Amino acid sequence: MIHKTIFYRLIFILTLAPFLLYAQETPPHPKTPMMGWSSWNNFRVDINEQVMKAQADAMVLTGLKKAGYNFINMDDGFFGGRNEKGELLVHGKRFPSGMKALADYIHSKGLKAGIYSDAGINTCASIWDKDTIGVGSGLYGHDEQDLNLMLKTWGYDFIKVDWCGGEKLALDEEMRYTQIANHIKRIKKEALFNICRWQFPGKWAIEIADSWRISGDINNKFESILNIIDKNADLWKYSSPGHVNDMDMLQVGRGMSYEEDKSHFSMWAMMNSPLLLGNDLRTISKETLTLVTNTEVIALNQDKLGYQARRLKKSGELEIWAKPLVSTMSGLVAVSLLNRSDKTASVDLDLESLGFDLSHHYTIRDLWKHQDYPATKAKTERFELPAHGVITLKIKGKLIPFNIFQSEK
């Protein structure tokens, strides 16, 4: 006879086995911000399967994939309304091969595929871009049906859920997005979920989403970049590994100056936003490619600590932003000096205010010049900033206990 203790242990193990197997089979959500490309900024609804495939091809051929970019996200513009049974249709002229074939193609390149919907009845493009063929294509009333189709049948890995239709219906944001999140978890637990509400939704979003938009749509003007930075400045405490403030898709390579693009990219990296390119990758310039594949700056965004940079000093149009790397006591600190003005300016960086113990040497590396400065114990360092420009540094030294990064203020 089997001893009672052994018998009960066997029963316990057999009961637990399916859950252990499920945990092993379900890939964990990434703990660093998403990197990839999204269609909206450059194409709006003027997309098709040839354009989408070409972006996937270019991501591999240009070396962007090697630099860490791995998502090809399709935004609004693929919908074809619904049939008499309420089943979601695809725009036949734009995507004759269908959505599954496109996801399969993207996956064949070793990349991941993202898709789009709305929390209400109608999507943003059907309202604002007069893409009337997509009327009625939102999730409302079709949550389980559409999410099964998009995430399971078609095989997409990420979904962005907009709010235009939800706003038109005056839906309760927390309740509606929580409903959608619960469906996603049941249907495809590993799928990533973005709440696109155009403002910080509230603390409730942190519990249900991988990322959430904190502003209205970005445009390719430096004023827009600064506006979004300001909106995110005090939201650093809501960012953590795997759950980040989304500052919207990048406008790098879409008409701003080189210095403005560099400031834009640096601040999105420092502030832990998803890095989603929004330019046409088929025609990306060498200058833009070099900028967005700066692995030293990307590493700040992908740091496992997930600490969003904080604005530690503002003096007129000059600002100092900083974040610890690895841990708050590692002695590694990333710093961005930002010049919002249209004139060159000097900035004095006080190392003591960053929490460095100046009885020990520290070293500074300029991550855009890829240049190291000699070790020193100097209290301040002076830097010259170009108009609308940024200098991004990695400083290595010894931090004092209970430093600025371990305090709310």
Side-chain angles (χ1 to χ4, degrees), residues 37-40 44 47-49 52 71-79 90 94-95 98-100 102-103 106 112-117 154 156 158-160 249:
W37 176 88
S38 188
S39 61
W40 187 254
R44 295 187 75 90
I47 54 173
N48 56 57
E49 62 186 51
M52 297 300 297
F71 271 87
I72 297 290
N73 295 342
M74 179 169 47
D75 212 285
D76 208 344
F78 66 90
F79 296 104
V90 175
R94 295 174 188 166
F95 296 90
M99 293 297 103
K100 185 180 187 307
L102 178 59
I106 293 169
K112 294 182 179 182
I115 203 163
Y116 167 97
S117 192
W154 292 347
Y156 284 81
F158 160 75
I159 185 165
K160 167 185 168 181
M249 299 160 283

Side-chain angles (χ1 to χ4, degrees), residues 347-382:
V347 174
D348 288 325
L349 178 62
D350 183 338
L351 277 293
E352 205 167 50
S353 70
L354 297 177
F356 282 98
D357 181 347
L358 298 184
S359 67
H360 295 261
H361 285 88
Y362 62 85
T363 57
I364 295 178
R365 180 169 177 79
D366 188 314
L367 302 187
W368 284 109
K369 292 181 179 179
H370 305 293
Q371 175 183 331
D372 293 312
Y373 294 91
T376 180
K377 294 181 181 180
K379 184 177 185 297
T380 61
E381 301 280 350
R382 173 162 287 194

Side-chain angles (χ1 to χ4, degrees), residues 58 105 131 147 312 347 366:
Y105 185 85
D131 197 37
L147 292 169
L312 299 185
V347 174
D366 188 314

Side-chain angles (χ1 to χ4, degrees), residues 190-203:
E190 69 273 24
L192 302 184
F193 172 39
N194 172 266
I195 294 173
C196 185
R197 174 58 191 91
W198 331 308
Q199 65 184 31
F200 179 62
K203 294 179 181 179

Side-chain angles (χ1 to χ4, degrees), residues 61-275:
L61 293 172
T62 58
L64 285 163
K65 178 187 172 187
K66 188 176 180 181
Y69 297 90
N70 64 346
F71 271 87
I72 297 290
N73 295 342
M74 179 169 47
D75 212 285
D76 208 344
F78 66 90
F79 296 104
R82 295 186 184 275
N83 63 18
E84 63 279 2
K85 297 179 181 178
E87 296 168 331
L88 191 65
L89 302 176
V90 175
H91 197 300
K93 289 185 178 179
R94 295 174 188 166
F95 296 90
S97 302
M99 293 297 103
K100 185 180 187 307
L102 178 59
D104 288 346
Y105 185 85
I106 293 169
H107 289 149
S108 75
K109 298 290 178 177
L111 302 169
K112 294 182 179 182
I115 203 163
Y116 167 97
S117 192
D118 191 283
I121 292 172
N122 297 318
T123 68
C124 289
S126 71
I127 297 171
W128 301 109
D129 287 60
K130 304 190 187 312
D131 197 37
T132 54
I133 193 172
V135 167
S137 298
L139 288 172
Y140 191 80
H142 304 275
D143 287 0
E144 191 163 357
Q145 177 186 12
D146 285 5
L147 292 169
N148 260 306
L149 180 67
M150 293 176 172
L151 303 177
K152 280 287 192 181
T153 306
W154 292 347
Y156 284 81
D157 308 291
F158 160 75
I159 185 165
K160 167 185 168 181
V161 180
D162 225 330
W163 188 242
C164 293
E167 184 178 53
K168 292 290 183 183
L169 295 177
L171 300 178
D172 180 275
E173 299 166 39
E174 180 176 357
M175 183 178 72
R176 183 70 188 111
Y177 275 116
T178 301
Q179 289 171 341
I180 294 167
N182 288 339
H183 281 294
I184 292 170
K185 288 174 185 175
R186 283 195 299 270
I187 292 166
K188 191 172 184 177
K189 189 177 179 68
E190 69 273 24
L192 302 184
F193 172 39
N194 172 266
I195 294 173
C196 185
R197 174 58 191 91
W198 331 308
Q199 65 184 31
F200 179 62
K203 294 179 181 179
W204 56 266
I206 300 166
E207 302 295 327
I208 66 171
D210 299 278
S211 59
W212 45 87
R213 277 277 296 280
I214 55 92
S215 72
D217 285 0
I218 192 172
N219 62 53
N220 56 343
K221 302 292 183 184
F222 195 57
E223 294 78 8
S224 175
I225 305 306
L226 295 177
N227 177 57
I228 294 172
I229 289 171
D230 288 341
K231 285 185 180 297
N232 199 20
D234 294 329
L235 299 176
W236 61 269
K237 64 189 72 174
Y238 304 117
S239 178
S240 63
H243 305 278
V244 296
N245 295 305
D246 176 9
M247 299 168 73
D248 206 0
M249 299 160 283
L250 291 160
Q251 290 283 3
V252 178
R254 299 201 64 249
M256 292 190 295
S257 72
Y258 173 72
E259 291 298 339
E260 290 170 342
D261 274 350
K262 192 166 71 168
S263 295
H264 174 21
F265 190 74
S266 294
M267 294 307 297
W268 261 235
M270 287 283 289
M271 299 181 80
N272 288 5
S273 178
L275 298 180

Side-chain angles (χ1 to χ4, degrees), residues 23-36:
Q24 291 172 350
E25 290 178 346
T26 305
H29 282 212
K31 297 301 182 184
T32 57
M34 175 186 288
M35 294 178 63

